[in-house]
Amino acid sequence: MNKTPASNEPRTSLHELLAALPPKQPLLLPCAHDALSARLIEQAGFAAYSIGGFGVIASRLGLPDVGVASFGEISAAVRDIAASSQLPVLVDGDDGYGDVKNVTRTVQVYEAMGVAGLVLEDQTNPKRCGHMAGKSVVEASLAARKLEAALGARRDPRFFIVARIDSRSVHGLDDAIDRARRYRDTGVDAVFVEAPQSVAEIEQIARAVEGTKLLVNMAEAGRTPILDAAELGAMGYSIVVYPATLLLRIVAVMRDALAVLRHGKVPAAAADDPPLPDFQALTGMLGIEQWGAIDDRFGSARPPAH
């Protein structure tokens, strides 16, 4: 059975995972939007994963990622998701939910929860999904102070802090690169320029921002071209996040199934579809055997001790 490590027993750090990878091989982080997807990511053999705000807000609240969900709502979702997997998880921390005091508390809450790291962006509040129109950003000096507050708030230096730059679509690529360099100099563990709009821009960011780990978002249906991890690793990216891959496919499959159910029929699998898990496989994936073992050992049906 999966157990959440105690706060004094952190999961493997992202630093350790990155150090163990061969040169030019990035760490791949699928995004979980709920506890079941996090468990499936772990069972698929990934070393770590991410929790993105877009997927969590969509799946938990049925809302778009436009800053309408509170820190309490999102952190409750993160707690549930992180408890379902023993893998290290990088969490979307939005803008830290306020000023430097709020950033400090956000880091403290997530670190105590046992997550491996946090992404903090330089958008104004209320924020938007990084691939939506209508974004705005705070002054770079304010964002840098918030990052310094985040670094000062962490108790364990292994807690991984990523600075996200959202100014590409607001002030242009040069501004985004300038911000990436400035945020790098605060001492964060990685920087992430959100929503570059061409392969050339992805390459330019990697060339221009040296001396730190680089994260890139492969957001299907977003503004950034989708490249293979090997290509991104060769460019110099250390972490590749897939924020919508699972959610998009789940939405497509559920829509198709519901269209058939609407006519009173159970959807038939196409010849090239993967087989559906049977009930035993599904409950096994959810840990039924471990729970059964607990019931057998401690439940009321066990024979009395002599």
Side-chain angles (χ1 to χ4, degrees):
M1 183 187 302
N2 291 321
K3 297 189 297 182
T4 302
S7 58
N8 61 344
E9 296 177 359
R11 294 170 168 91
T12 302
S13 75
L14 295 175
H15 296 280
E16 292 166 328
L17 291 178
L18 289 164
L21 288 172
K24 298 185 178 181
Q25 180 176 318
L27 181 65
L28 309 183
L29 301 182
C31 270
H33 54 273
D34 59 13
L36 179 57
S37 55
R39 184 166 294 214
L40 287 169
I41 289 167
E42 181 171 8
Q43 292 175 357
F46 286 88
Y49 69 107
S50 182
I51 299 175
F54 184 96
V56 164
I57 295 165
S59 61
R60 197 173 182 100
L61 302 175
L63 295 172
D65 185 12
V66 290
V68 295
S70 69
F71 174 50
E73 290 172 309
I74 296 173
S75 62
V78 170
R79 188 183 303 277
D80 291 344
I81 295 169
S84 72
S85 170
Q86 297 183 62
L87 296 180
V89 56
L90 179 67
V91 173
D92 179 0
D94 293 324
D95 70 331
Y97 308 100
D99 65 4
V100 292
K101 298 187 299 297
N102 298 96
V103 169
T104 296
R105 181 167 181 262
T106 299
V107 170
Q108 290 172 343
V109 168
Y110 280 132
E111 186 174 14
M113 200 181 291
V115 307
L118 199 60
V119 179
L120 293 168
E121 64 198 39
D122 58 1
Q123 284 197 53
T124 57
N125 189 288
K127 55 79 50 96
R128 288 175 175 265
C129 167
H131 290 258
M132 288 181 179
K135 292 192 298 181
S136 59
V137 292
V138 300
E139 292 294 327
S141 59
L142 172 57
R145 290 197 300 273
K146 291 171 73 172
L147 291 169
E148 290 167 355
L151 293 165
R154 63 184 179 182
R155 299 181 63 184
D156 186 341
R158 296 182 302 170
F159 187 79
F160 201 88
I161 294 178
V162 180
R164 171 173 144 175
I165 298 93
D166 275 85
S167 69
R168 163 61 188 91
S169 61
V170 182
H171 300 305
L173 184 62
D174 289 343
D175 180 84
I177 288 173
D178 287 344
R179 285 173 178 252
R181 291 168 172 161
R182 182 166 187 170
Y183 302 164
R184 171 201 62 194
D185 293 344
T186 66
V188 294
D189 300 297
V191 296
F192 161 30
V193 176
E194 174 66 298
Q197 298 179 15
S198 67
V199 174
E201 288 192 6
I202 298 172
E203 292 175 323
Q204 185 176 345
I205 292 164
R207 288 194 304 268
V209 186
E210 300 176 336
T212 189
K213 302 292 185 185
L214 296 176
L215 182 151
V216 64
N217 224 11
M218 290 289 100
E220 294 169 88
R223 298 186 177 194
T224 302
I226 302 301
L227 302 176
D228 289 342
E231 296 176 85
L232 295 165
M235 292 178 190
Y237 288 92
S238 300
I239 303 170
V240 183
V241 177
Y242 299 91
T245 299
L246 297 183
L247 184 64
L248 286 171
R249 282 153 182 80
I250 287 170
V251 169
V253 169
M254 287 197 297
R255 274 183 171 173
D256 290 347
L258 289 167
V260 177
L261 283 177
R262 182 68 180 80
H263 297 284
K265 298 181 182 295
V266 174
D272 56 349
D273 285 349
L276 295 176
D278 59 26
F279 184 74
Q280 184 175 1
L282 182 61
T283 55
M285 179 189 67
L286 298 173
I288 189 67
E289 291 185 4
Q290 294 94 329
W291 288 108
I294 291 172
D295 210 18
D296 291 342
R297 183 176 180 187
F298 302 111
S300 59
R302 64 175 177 155
H306 296 290

